[in-house]
Amino acid sequence: MRQDTEIEIKKFFIKNLHILALGVIVLVVSVPLMTNYCIDGVDVSFYLRQLERGRMEDIFLVLPSVLIRMGMSTESAYKLLLSGLNFAAAGIAYVCFQRIFQDRMIGIVGSMLYTWTPYRLNDLYCRGDLGEAIALCFLPVILYGLYRVYQEDGDSQGYRRLWIVLTLGYTLIVQAYLLSFLITAGFTVLFCLVMWKKTFRRPVLIVLLKTVAAFLVCNAWLFILIFLRIREGTFSMAAFRGELIQSGGVYPSIFLQLFFINGSSYRTAGTGMEEIQPLGAGFAVTVGVLVYLWLVFVGRYRDQKDGKDLACFGKGIGITGAILAILSTNCFPWDYVQKRNGIFFRLVASLQSPARLMQVVTVCFVLLTCVALWQVKKWENSDVSRTFAIVIALTALLSVQYLTGDILSTGEPRSLYGVEYGEPEKDERFQPENLDISPWDYGKYEHIGR
């Protein structure tokens, strides 16, 4: 009887291992929330004001705003929202990577790497950029949708309905953060060009065109609203004057950085990497990418026919991610491009910083790491794949523990109580030039740009 009970308990834990693992992933990354204060950031005051005033322009702020109206403190609602973003990022990433690779362990590793990426933690705790942090939760959905569109049989049942997945992903991103949508859309176009042989096949092209049409229909109200606010002059176009952005790119060495700090600078021109924000994908991801490149160039599994489509998709994502990684650095001549004419200057300036491209670079490189793990697990013995996964996990854990510890030790406490706020239109903390929010997203908030 006792032996049967132990067997049942063991089966239960094995069956629900992924749930336990996701709980640990969220717990590790939520350590900075286990305080009685909010950690300050560039945009924290801005979003606290939105929550306090109960603004409903952003659908993702509706629930915490309602909780505040019901008596919850603003700080508690804000921290509850951050906790929800950690759960959402881990859960969505797990589902997407697990379905791509049809493997729970790879799904867990992919979720862990993506949820623990320094760039995402920078949005949550260092900059306080909630819009981009929310958008990052849905980037894996785009990868999952593109994988199914490019790798599934165009004549299979349900293929023509894949536009629903992509439309949902793009819609959630554009509602969260318009600049992230523009970057994601650019990533998609670049990926389609890299995979041009499959892109112009009739089934793939039909799904992509359906996605564009459905997205425009679902989000027409948002673009009409932005157009009307531009016409009325309530959409701030002043920030589009911008400045040269090349100094906002990351150093290539950031891809080899293991320990990140709670930096305050995103410009490298004057101080180099001193006090730079944690804008990388993490050294664990870099290790995975290097293993993937080794497998590709030595041709270790070149003759393996099983899984060839997934390997092809991985190469397409890898090439796209590599191009965007180059564009995200301060080595790319963005200043030269900007100076060509006024149109280029404004368009490039609206990106704010080449480092913004790291959000899609991160998800691309996490996928490559998962591809490498999938290949090792499929064609090597289980001990090799298990060792590879453990090394990746320990490296990521070491990096995230150091970063969260530094955030707790150096982060400035921020409390709404006892702070006297001026009028948003006059308070310098809410002026466009002092926020880290994209000019594309100013217009969603009534008191900005008047």
Side-chain angles (χ1 to χ4, degrees):
M1 184 70 178
R2 182 178 178 181
Q3 187 177 6
D4 292 340
T5 303
E6 290 178 353
I7 293 174
E8 290 297 323
I9 293 176
K10 186 176 181 180
K11 287 182 179 179
F12 173 81
F13 276 104
I14 293 176
K15 183 178 180 180
N16 297 281
L17 179 63
H18 62 292
I19 298 177
L20 297 173
L22 291 178
V24 172
I25 290 171
V26 173
L27 181 64
V28 169
V29 84
S30 298
V31 170
L33 300 176
M34 301 176 188
T35 61
N36 60 351
Y37 58 86
C38 290
I39 297 176
D40 197 13
V42 178
D43 299 329
V44 170
S45 296
F46 175 78
Y47 283 105
L48 286 175
R49 169 64 72 174
Q50 297 306 312
L51 295 176
E52 185 191 37
R53 288 196 160 195
R55 298 295 189 187
M56 300 299 179
E57 292 91 342
D58 193 329
I59 61 173
F60 297 102
L61 301 184
V62 171
L63 179 58
S65 296
V66 171
L67 292 176
I68 292 172
R69 301 281 79 75
M70 295 173 64
M72 180 178 287
S73 69
T74 306
E75 295 92 336
S76 297
Y78 177 79
K79 291 168 69 175
L80 184 63
L81 177 58
L82 296 187
S83 300
L85 293 182
N86 285 332
F87 277 103
I92 293 173
Y94 169 77
V95 171
C96 293
F97 288 119
Q98 189 275 332
R99 291 191 176 184
I100 290 174
F101 296 96
Q102 296 297 310
D103 188 290
R104 286 202 308 173
M105 185 188 79
I106 297 178
I108 292 171
V109 172
S111 173
M112 175 193 66
L113 292 176
Y114 188 68
T115 307
W116 290 357
T117 49
Y119 188 92
R120 199 185 78 86
L121 299 186
N122 181 54
D123 278 344
L124 283 179
Y125 303 128
C126 303
R127 289 208 316 241
D129 193 345
L130 279 186
E132 189 171 271
I134 294 171
L136 288 176
C137 294
F138 307 115
L139 279 181
V141 177
I142 304 301
L143 281 189
Y144 172 63
L146 290 174
Y147 167 75
R148 293 194 60 186
V149 169
Y150 277 84
Q151 302 308 319
E152 288 190 6
D153 183 4
D155 297 324
S156 63
Q157 186 177 5
Y159 181 85
R160 294 185 178 181
R161 292 195 295 271
L162 291 180
W163 60 270
I164 297 175
V165 177
L166 287 172
T167 301
L168 177 63
Y170 290 121
T171 297
L172 290 171
I173 291 174
V174 77
Q175 294 299 326
Y177 202 57
L178 187 54
L179 179 60
S180 289
F181 163 73
L182 295 174
I183 292 173
T184 305
F187 152 75
T188 306
V189 172
L190 181 58
F191 174 76
C192 291
L193 294 176
V194 171
M195 302 285 287
W196 64 273
K197 288 185 178 180
K198 289 190 175 183
T199 299
F200 293 102
R201 291 180 182 178
R202 189 170 183 272
V204 174
L205 201 57
I206 289 176
V207 171
L208 294 177
L209 291 176
K210 282 184 177 180
T211 300
V212 173
F215 172 81
L216 292 176
V217 170
C218 292
N219 298 279
W221 67 272
L222 176 61
F223 296 109
I224 292 175
L225 176 63
I226 292 175
F227 173 77
L228 291 176
R229 289 194 172 183
I230 291 176
R231 187 176 180 182
E232 294 170 359
T234 58
F235 185 89
S236 175
M237 298 297 290
F240 281 99
R241 293 195 303 267
E243 57 185 3
L244 297 175
I245 70 168
Q246 186 172 333
S247 64
V250 299
Y251 276 103
S253 58
I254 203 169
F255 294 101
L256 300 176
Q257 188 172 345
L258 176 60
F259 299 112
F260 292 84
I261 63 171
N262 180 24
S264 57
S265 173
Y266 67 95
R267 297 289 180 184
T268 59
T271 60
M273 291 189 66
E274 183 180 358
E275 291 296 323
I276 196 71
Q277 292 179 355
L279 299 171
F283 186 67
V285 174
T286 301
V287 171
V289 173
L290 292 175
V291 172
Y292 170 81
L293 292 175
W294 178 77
L295 294 175
V296 169
F297 285 109
V298 301
R300 183 69 176 270
Y301 308 124
R302 187 175 299 164
D303 297 331
Q304 298 288 348
K305 295 183 179 179
D306 187 19
K308 190 174 181 180
D309 289 341
L310 181 54
C312 179
F313 178 76
K315 288 181 180 179
I317 289 293
I319 294 172
T320 307
I323 294 173
L324 293 174
I326 294 172
L327 295 178
S328 71
T329 67
N330 55 14
C331 300
F332 186 82
W334 284 109
D335 290 354
Y336 175 82
V337 174
Q338 276 187 273
K339 292 176 181 178
R340 292 307 89 196
N341 56 61
I343 295 177
F344 280 7
F345 190 94
R346 289 197 171 196
L347 289 177
V348 174
S350 68
L351 183 61
Q352 291 187 302
S353 167
R356 291 279 191 181
L357 299 175
M358 283 298 298
Q359 55 190 288
V360 287
V361 173
T362 294
V363 73
C364 289
F365 284 179
V366 169
L367 180 79
L368 287 188
T369 303
C370 291
V371 171
L373 179 59
W374 173 80
Q375 290 181 323
V376 171
K377 185 176 181 180
K378 193 174 184 65
W379 293 306
E380 299 288 345
N381 60 65
S382 58
D383 291 337
V384 175
S385 63
R386 193 178 297 114
T387 301
F388 181 32
I390 291 174
V391 170
I392 291 292
L394 290 178
T395 305
L397 179 62
L398 181 63
S399 181
V400 72
Q401 287 283 44
Y402 187 90
L403 176 56
T404 54
D406 191 69
I407 290 172
L408 282 172
S409 62
T410 63
E412 181 182 348
R414 181 68 165 180
S415 176
L416 191 61
Y417 300 112
V419 176
E420 196 68 32
Y421 284 92
E423 289 297 318
E425 293 81 3
K426 300 177 181 178
D427 193 330
E428 63 177 12
R429 285 170 293 184
F430 299 106
Q431 297 309 308
E433 62 271 16
N434 293 326
L435 292 170
D436 203 22
I437 298 172
S438 165
W440 293 103
D441 290 274
Y442 293 155
K444 292 199 299 184
Y445 304 101
E446 293 179 2
H447 66 267
I448 295 294
R450 284 189 173 181

